[in-house]
Amino acid sequence: MKLLELNKVNVYSKNNHRLKNINLTIGSGEKVALLGNSGSGKSTLISIINGSLLPSSGKVFFKDLEIKNLSPRSLTKIATIWQDLRLIEDLNVLQNINVGALGHHSLYWSILNLIGLTDNKKSLNCLNAVKLPINLYKKQVRSLSGGQKQRIAIARMLRQQGDLLLADEPISNLDPYLANAMIKLLLGLEYPQSIEVPDTILMSIHRPELISNFTRVIGLKAGEIIIDLTSNKLREQDIRLLYSNP
Amino acid sequence: MKKIYLSSPILCLLPALAIIPVLTNLILNIHLGGVYLLLDFLKSAITPSTDKLVILSAIKGLGITATIAISSWAISSFTGIIIGIISSNKFWIFLKGPSWLGKSIRRLLAFPRSIHELIWGLLLQSTLGLSPLVAIIAIVIPYSALVARVVADQIDTIDDRSLIALIQAGTKPINALITSIGPAILPTIISYIGYRLECSLRAATILGIFGMGGIGSELELSLRSLEFNEMWTSLWLLIFSIFAIEELLDRFRLWLFTKSSSGRRIIISLILVIIITIMSIILLYIQNQGLFLDIRWNTVKLTDIQKLLIAFNELDWLNLYADTLIMTLLAAGIAIGIPPLTLLILPAEIGGKFLTIIWTFFRAMPIPLTALILLLFTTPSIYVATLALAVQNIGVLGRLLKEGIEQQKNELFHSVTSTGAKMRSAWLYSRLYSESKSYLGFAAYRTDVLLRETAVVGVVGGAGLGWQLQESLSSFDWAQVILIISGYSTLTLIGEAISEYSNNNWINSSNSTPSHHSLQY
């Protein structure tokens, strides 16, 4: 079943053509790795899909509805892990994880979360799933390390309970052991019963050795899709072409 | 039991609760006859008097207020810069002179700064009589000290390594000073001085309400005689003038600082300021031929220790201080909490535009005039005084918050909205969150200003030290006057120290450096 569709999408900024005529369809349940060197347009593509950036031309559809017309309720189904994390540094760990659930609740609940009076069971499960010690939950995010912050961003995404996960280099600050564990969690290969993991994934990564965990690979170069293959068909020369200088 | 955690957006919203006791008390004290008067007053807003004589009188009044404001602003800016330079530590270090001299001048300046211009006005009025010149002097005294403080702070906090490098390279000291320190501090100082023009206009209006001429006197007279249509003619004129000045100053700042030719533009501005000042003093002289002649020197008998002791025992210090502090805290609560609360309730674009208009109106309303309007339908109390104080400050803090939010980047907002959060929740977690710490820092400074301003409403609302001062001045009880002014000064200096500490605390924790923007409020 088709979950996401991009139709002739172009993005221009100043004198830069950041995305060039992107046509892309992602089906429900697909695990897609997004490859490309820095500046190739991966983050722009993710921002276009989650609706935080509007295309200069072309259309983006999520579950057959154009993304710019989606209600906040429908937007909860698209969860994003941002490259720059975008955590709220002065709030504590649990309050930040709860931000993922804002779309499911009222303004009253939002205010309760700012005072620290919400029910935190689900958020504690998410914290546990990203292998962060439970005693960290009251800590202000500002005081944590880069790797810990990255895992809180993952936990916040889990708390959102979306259908589609957009992840922009979600393991860049993690050591190999944790990176592996988080990839397994995000891809739904190993995760605790108490949480839900999005079924469909588009993840930007810089680690070709992890590609085998995905079902499909998309390669972006200078704003254009130059590779779109099932992961088992990806060859060494494809990767070299993708990361070579233009 | 769960521990309550007060995050900074909540700390911005929570003070709004202060509106509950204030409104409850006002509503309980409403008298019905006054409600008709209020309705009449509101109706007159859309039917201001178009009588030629009324309009001419309002324009003349505005002219006097504007000339008082410009003259006092120019004189206080000039003297403020000079005193600021000589009260800075770096100046004395640079001259290899005694550093205690700068510190001593600074300490001395704390006194004139801590007394509101209205108090200076009332004091001078008792000795020199009613005259626009008295209004000018009353504004110049505290404003010079305020400008001096900012100038000295700017000089002392500047990184002087480039200055040392220039001097070591053999540059003449004066050239080195102009080259290294000038460009670094001038933008902030010019921006701050520009803002003081707005303050001077408000101060000149308030002094007018207390009889020192200009549009304030027009407003007060027409309100007291219940000629609301005439009052609205003057009030609309004042509102448009303040709005025009705010706009002009915003554009001026942009013009001055966004181009590379700032140096030349600063010189052009200085020449313009000098011309405007000379013109305004000439105009003031023409408008009031007796500007300097009307001055009468009433002798003030300095009081002795015995009289001071008697006066000290006569005054109900506890109540006077308590009323002043309650007014300050409640007004600060309303002024701090209402802008974010209204923006939260009305975050849409239409709500934002509506609030911009309301806040402009609030900023332009002179505090004593708001108090007098409230007194049309309710009885004098500290709650009337509190609300009058809060209204103008809602306008000031609302503008500050909105401008801060409009300058934000969108990353956090997009991140929260992309989770499907509803607009109000997203606004709370991104827009208000990002602005909350600097807003609280400025709010702390504003509370300090509010404490000073209680003098203005105390006189009208019949409460606090301001009211007692007016009473003592009316009965020429100089012993009481001296004690009350000392008490006021002590209170405002303590308030200043607390707000400075709290301001630094919030600003530092928000990782933002105080900008021109912050100094303006």
Side-chain angles (χ1 to χ4, degrees):
Chain A
M1 197 184 90
K2 185 173 69 185
L3 190 74
L4 181 74
E5 186 183 355
L6 279 78
N7 200 346
K8 294 180 183 165
V9 167
N10 282 284
V11 176
Y12 303 92
S13 68
K14 291 177 186 163
N15 299 324
N16 196 0
H17 196 167
R18 285 157 69 186
L19 286 181
K20 295 173 188 165
N21 203 33
I22 301 286
N23 290 296
L24 176 67
T25 305
I26 294 177
S28 186
E30 278 197 271
K31 320 281 186 202
V32 184
L34 183 60
L35 301 182
N37 52 17
S38 298
S40 60
K42 302 189 297 295
S43 299
T44 307
L45 182 65
I46 285 172
S47 298
I48 285 286
I49 295 172
N50 69 22
S52 63
L53 184 68
L54 289 175
S56 310
S57 66
K59 288 180 175 173
V60 182
F61 297 92
F62 178 71
K63 293 184 177 176
D64 295 327
L65 278 172
E66 200 174 345
I67 210 103
K68 63 180 181 188
N69 299 329
L70 283 187
S71 65
R73 174 65 77 184
S74 307
L75 271 175
T76 59
K77 295 296 162 197
I78 305 174
T80 308
I81 301 171
W82 302 81
Q83 188 180 18
D84 54 2
L85 307 179
R86 303 192 185 182
L87 296 169
I88 303 180
E89 299 261 326
D90 291 306
L91 297 187
N92 68 31
V93 169
L94 272 188
Q95 286 172 315
N96 263 283
I97 297 174
N98 278 336
V99 169
L102 284 181
H104 301 287
H105 295 282
S106 63
L107 177 64
Y108 174 66
W109 189 89
S110 311
I111 292 172
L112 283 187
N113 183 44
L114 283 178
I115 308 172
L117 291 180
T118 45
D119 178 14
N120 294 317
K121 197 177 161 206
K122 285 184 180 173
S123 295
L124 286 169
N125 288 338
C126 298
L127 186 70
N128 186 40
V130 294
K131 301 189 187 302
L132 277 169
I134 213 87
N135 60 5
L136 217 64
Y137 77 100
K138 268 188 189 169
K139 280 239 174 189
Q140 215 178 33
V141 165
R142 188 183 294 283
S143 65
L144 304 180
S145 70
Q148 286 171 323
K149 286 180 185 174
Q150 197 151 40
R151 281 183 284 161
I152 291 162
I154 295 173
R156 180 180 65 179
M157 179 282 296
L158 293 172
R159 183 73 178 86
Q160 193 173 330
Q161 297 172 295
D163 292 340
L164 169 66
L165 163 61
L166 303 169
D168 197 353
E169 299 180 26
I171 51 165
S172 55
N173 293 333
L174 304 179
D175 62 55
Y177 165 75
L178 273 172
N180 207 22
M182 287 305 112
I183 285 288
K184 282 181 177 163
L185 168 73
L186 294 173
L187 293 174
L189 302 172
E190 270 178 34
Y191 64 95
Q193 292 270 308
S194 55
I195 59 156
E196 290 173 36
V197 178
D199 185 38
T200 310
I201 290 158
L202 176 66
M203 185 189 295
S204 142
I205 50 168
H206 279 306
R207 306 265 291 269
E209 74 276 12
L210 296 171
I211 301 286
S212 57
N213 293 303
F214 292 82
T215 57
R216 183 177 164 192
V217 180
I218 289 173
L220 268 180
K221 190 166 186 178
E224 271 182 291
I225 295 181
I226 60 162
I227 293 171
D228 189 353
L229 300 165
T230 52
S231 59
N232 54 8
K233 287 190 180 159
L234 187 75
R235 296 160 306 165
E236 187 64 33
Q237 56 262 48
D238 294 325
I239 293 176
R240 271 205 298 274
L241 172 71
L242 203 55
Y243 288 98
S244 64
N245 289 327
Chain B
M1 210 178 101
K2 285 189 177 176
K3 193 182 159 194
I4 289 180
Y5 174 87
L6 291 176
S7 50
S8 52
I10 293 294
L11 285 174
C12 292
L13 292 166
L14 215 54
L17 289 173
I19 194 87
I20 296 171
V22 173
L23 280 188
T24 311
N25 272 284
L26 279 182
I27 290 165
L28 288 176
N29 288 308
I30 281 179
H31 51 87
L32 266 181
V35 175
Y36 294 117
L37 271 181
L38 181 71
L39 290 175
D40 198 17
F41 169 81
L42 293 174
K43 213 169 65 187
S44 304
I46 45 170
T47 54
S49 172
T50 49
D51 186 280
K52 202 177 162 188
L53 277 176
V54 175
I55 295 173
L56 279 175
S57 172
I59 292 174
K60 193 185 171 201
L62 185 67
I64 294 172
T65 301
T67 44
I68 290 174
I70 293 170
S71 317
S72 52
W73 165 72
I75 298 167
S76 59
S77 303
F78 181 73
T79 49
I81 290 173
I82 304 283
I83 302 171
I85 292 170
I86 60 166
S87 64
S88 68
N89 292 332
K90 283 220 172 91
F91 175 77
W92 293 102
I93 293 169
F94 183 69
L95 283 188
K96 297 193 170 88
S99 63
W100 55 265
L101 211 54
K103 282 187 190 123
S104 310
I105 298 171
R106 269 185 168 200
R107 293 218 173 96
L108 278 175
L109 287 175
F111 177 70
R113 200 174 63 226
S114 68
I115 308 287
H116 192 275
E117 54 271 19
L118 176 63
I119 297 184
W120 284 114
L122 292 173
L123 270 176
L124 292 166
Q125 186 186 313
S126 305
T127 52
L128 301 176
L130 280 172
S131 154
L133 185 65
V134 169
I136 295 176
I137 301 170
I139 298 172
V140 165
I141 296 171
Y143 280 27
S144 301
L146 280 162
V147 172
R149 183 191 181 194
V150 170
V151 171
D153 281 350
Q154 286 296 310
I155 295 173
D156 283 342
T157 52
I158 204 166
D159 182 358
D160 54 4
R161 282 175 297 184
S162 61
L163 175 69
I164 294 164
L166 280 174
I167 290 170
Q168 279 181 338
T171 315
K172 283 181 186 161
I174 188 72
N175 289 347
L177 253 180
I178 292 169
T179 314
S180 75
I181 293 189
I185 63 168
L186 269 178
T188 309
I189 290 174
I190 289 178
S191 186
Y192 178 73
I193 284 174
Y195 162 68
R196 298 257 34 117
L197 179 61
E198 283 176 51
C199 298
S200 294
L201 188 62
R202 291 197 182 100
T205 310
I206 289 179
L207 288 165
I209 292 175
F210 287 87
M212 278 165 257
I215 201 155
S217 300
E218 299 284 331
L219 284 165
E220 202 260 351
L221 280 173
S222 48
L223 184 64
R224 287 232 188 254
S225 50
L226 304 180
E227 296 289 349
F228 296 139
N229 305 77
E230 289 181 14
M231 199 213 85
W232 274 103
T233 309
S234 302
L235 191 56
W236 281 124
L237 200 61
L238 179 68
I239 290 168
F240 286 126
S241 312
I242 288 190
F243 180 70
I245 284 191
E246 283 181 0
E247 282 294 305
L248 266 172
L249 285 172
D250 280 348
R251 278 159 207 266
F252 168 72
R253 279 180 207 117
L254 270 177
W255 174 78
L256 200 60
F257 302 123
T258 50
K259 296 276 169 162
S260 52
S261 53
S262 277
R264 202 187 315 150
R265 290 185 175 194
I266 287 172
I267 292 166
I268 295 172
S269 332
L270 285 175
I271 294 169
L272 261 175
V273 166
I274 292 168
I275 293 171
I276 293 170
T277 308
I278 293 170
M279 275 171 62
S280 69
I281 291 175
I282 293 170
L283 257 175
L284 196 64
Y285 188 75
I286 294 167
Q287 281 167 345
N288 302 268
Q289 287 295 331
L291 177 65
F292 300 102
L293 301 175
D294 276 356
I295 297 284
R296 58 189 163 86
W297 293 91
N298 292 337
T299 47
V300 177
K301 283 181 188 165
L302 283 176
T303 187
D304 56 41
I305 295 287
Q306 191 66 31
K307 281 185 183 164
L308 281 174
L309 281 172
I310 295 168
F312 185 85
N313 289 325
E314 278 171 358
L315 292 168
D316 186 0
W317 288 105
L318 193 66
N319 270 333
L320 290 174
Y321 270 121
D323 282 350
T324 307
L325 286 174
I326 289 170
M327 273 193 282
T328 307
L329 292 175
L330 286 176
I334 297 170
I336 295 166
I338 293 295
L341 186 67
T342 43
L343 280 171
L344 175 67
I345 296 166
L346 306 162
E349 205 174 304
I350 296 169
K353 280 182 183 149
F354 170 72
L355 288 173
T356 303
I357 295 168
I358 295 286
W359 289 339
T360 306
F361 184 79
F362 279 10
R363 278 197 305 279
M365 280 294 282
I367 294 170
L369 192 73
T370 313
L372 288 173
I373 291 165
L374 291 170
L375 287 176
L376 288 176
F377 61 95
T378 187
T379 46
S381 67
I382 60 165
Y383 300 104
V384 172
T386 300
L387 196 61
L389 262 180
V391 165
Q392 192 180 68
N393 286 284
I394 287 174
V396 173
L397 283 170
R399 179 193 185 194
L400 170 80
L401 179 65
K402 198 158 177 289
E403 282 180 0
I405 285 172
E406 281 165 2
Q407 285 164 15
Q408 279 175 9
K409 288 182 179 165
N410 289 324
E411 278 84 355
L412 187 59
F413 181 69
H414 286 323
S415 146
V416 182
T417 48
S418 76
T419 64
K422 288 158 196 83
M423 268 307 160
R424 286 173 186 172
S425 299
W427 187 87
L428 189 63
Y429 277 74
S430 56
R431 301 290 191 215
L432 183 58
Y433 161 77
S434 303
E435 202 56 29
S436 56
K437 287 196 166 178
S438 52
Y439 179 68
L440 286 169
F442 306 140
Y445 165 68
R446 203 66 212 171
T447 307
D448 170 34
V449 175
L450 267 163
L451 180 61
R452 256 177 260 255
E453 285 178 341
T454 53
V456 182
V457 280
V459 172
V460 182
L465 287 162
W467 164 76
Q468 182 59 58
L469 180 71
Q470 174 82 328
E471 293 287 303
S472 306
L473 274 170
S474 308
S475 54
F476 300 102
D477 190 335
W478 295 109
Q480 281 192 0
V481 170
I482 289 171
L483 285 174
I484 294 164
I485 289 177
S486 311
Y488 228 124
S489 182
T490 313
L491 193 64
T492 48
L493 288 174
I494 293 170
E496 192 177 288
I498 295 171
S499 92
E500 203 166 297
Y501 169 77
S502 149
N503 187 0
N504 288 340
N505 196 25
W506 284 115
I507 297 275
N508 290 341
S509 62
S510 71
N511 288 333
S512 66
T513 48
S515 56
H516 312 156
H517 196 68
S518 68
L519 281 168
Q520 286 161 32
Y521 297 90

